[in-house]
Amino acid sequence: MKKSYVKPLFMMLTAMFALGSIQSVAVAETKYKVIKGDTLGQLSKQYGVTIKDIMDENNRTDDWIYEGETLRIPEKPNGQDIDELILDTKVPEEEAVQAAETEESNQPAEAEEVKTEPQPAPEAMSISQGEKDLLARLVEAEAKGESYEGKLGVAIVVLNRVESQQFPNSVNGVIMEVVGTSYAFSPVQNGSINKPASDEAHRAVEEALMRKDRLNDSIYFYNPNTATDDWIRSRQVVKTIGNHVFAK
């Protein structure tokens, strides 16, 4: 009779101790300032957590991150998985129970080795310095007054068009494209593209060239308050940033 009561008691104490240990360390976190070229995938590997963990910790619904922002990175409890923590907190059972189960229960648990293939960093799209300057001036003209994220979105749309078979295959060709009797982008039509670009617009271009996340391949953007073309409103909306709707 003694054995039947002692074993469940020890198992219950083991579980309570393990859960208390997990809860006491699970709140640890690290603050990380994003630098140019960072992605959530790289940060998840660096800190040993999942992309979803980082998104949840920072109340994100997508995986966009921006140079200069500070992210909270959740940490594993003492660098261990929860299964490992529970194994480490097991207490010995009564000698009579151990004697009956020694061979099986005292064997050290062997952790399965998980091999992951290293993921290459995303390759930057290569364009000339002149194309970078032209794109930055378009970004400034189209998204002046918008947030940095809004400027980044405009730059990404142009690069997505370069890679799409529906548009010319160069930055110059996309920006200077004529549709019907006018240019595709109004700043080219009205001449505002000739004004100098801000440092933020140049920075948005550089980041867009490194981006693996390309706004779900958006190739259009428009201001719903001023757009007069009903066709553009029929396109699938991907994201709204400031005054612009991005679509494909």
Side-chain angles (χ1 to χ4, degrees), residues 90-228:
K90 281 187 176 178
V91 297
E93 299 180 5
E94 192 192 63
E95 290 182 2
V97 176
Q98 284 186 338
E101 301 177 350
T102 275
E103 289 246 4
E104 189 173 3
S105 63
N106 284 353
Q107 291 296 325
E110 294 183 3
E112 271 186 41
E113 183 179 355
V114 179
K115 294 182 179 180
T116 56
E117 294 295 329
Q119 297 295 320
E123 294 184 4
M125 182 185 292
S126 179
I127 63 175
S128 70
Q129 189 57 47
E131 287 180 311
K132 287 182 182 180
D133 182 65
L134 179 64
L135 179 52
R137 285 188 278 119
L138 178 70
V139 168
E140 181 69 17
E142 287 281 11
K144 188 173 183 179
E146 294 289 324
S147 65
Y148 175 74
E149 184 184 3
K151 292 180 175 65
L152 178 61
V154 170
I156 287 174
V157 163
V158 173
L159 297 181
N160 285 347
R161 287 192 177 194
V162 172
E163 294 187 332
S164 170
Q165 294 184 355
Q166 302 177 52
F167 299 92
N169 60 0
S170 69
V171 170
N172 284 341
V174 167
I175 293 177
M176 305 306 294
E177 183 182 17
V178 175
V179 179
T181 59
S182 60
Y183 288 101
F185 295 97
S186 58
V188 181
Q189 189 75 22
N190 61 33
S192 60
I193 194 173
N194 297 316
K195 295 180 180 179
S198 64
D199 290 341
E200 193 171 58
H202 281 289
R203 185 157 57 93
V205 169
E206 294 293 343
E207 183 172 344
L209 289 167
M210 290 292 297
R211 273 276 179 179
K212 187 174 183 180
D213 172 14
R214 290 288 184 80
L215 262 179
N216 199 18
D217 298 327
S218 296
I219 51 177
Y220 303 104
F221 65 88
Y222 62 93
N223 186 330
N225 296 321
T226 59
T228 58

Side-chain angles (χ1 to χ4, degrees), residues 31-46:
K31 290 187 177 180
Y32 178 83
K33 189 171 184 180
V34 177
I35 62 175
K36 182 179 177 181
D38 279 341
T39 66
L40 285 186
Q42 292 167 341
L43 293 179
S44 71
K45 292 176 185 176
Q46 180 179 340

Side-chain angles (χ1 to χ4, degrees), residues 69-109:
E69 73 168 314
T70 300
L71 296 176
R72 297 188 304 276
I73 310 294
E75 293 182 351
K76 285 186 177 180
N78 296 327
Q80 293 180 304
D81 290 329
I82 289 181
D83 288 344
E84 294 172 341
L85 185 61
I86 292 174
L87 285 173
D88 289 343
T89 56
K90 281 187 176 178
V91 297
E93 299 180 5
E94 192 192 63
E95 290 182 2
V97 176
Q98 284 186 338
E101 301 177 350
T102 275
E103 289 246 4
E104 189 173 3
S105 63
N106 284 353
Q107 291 296 325

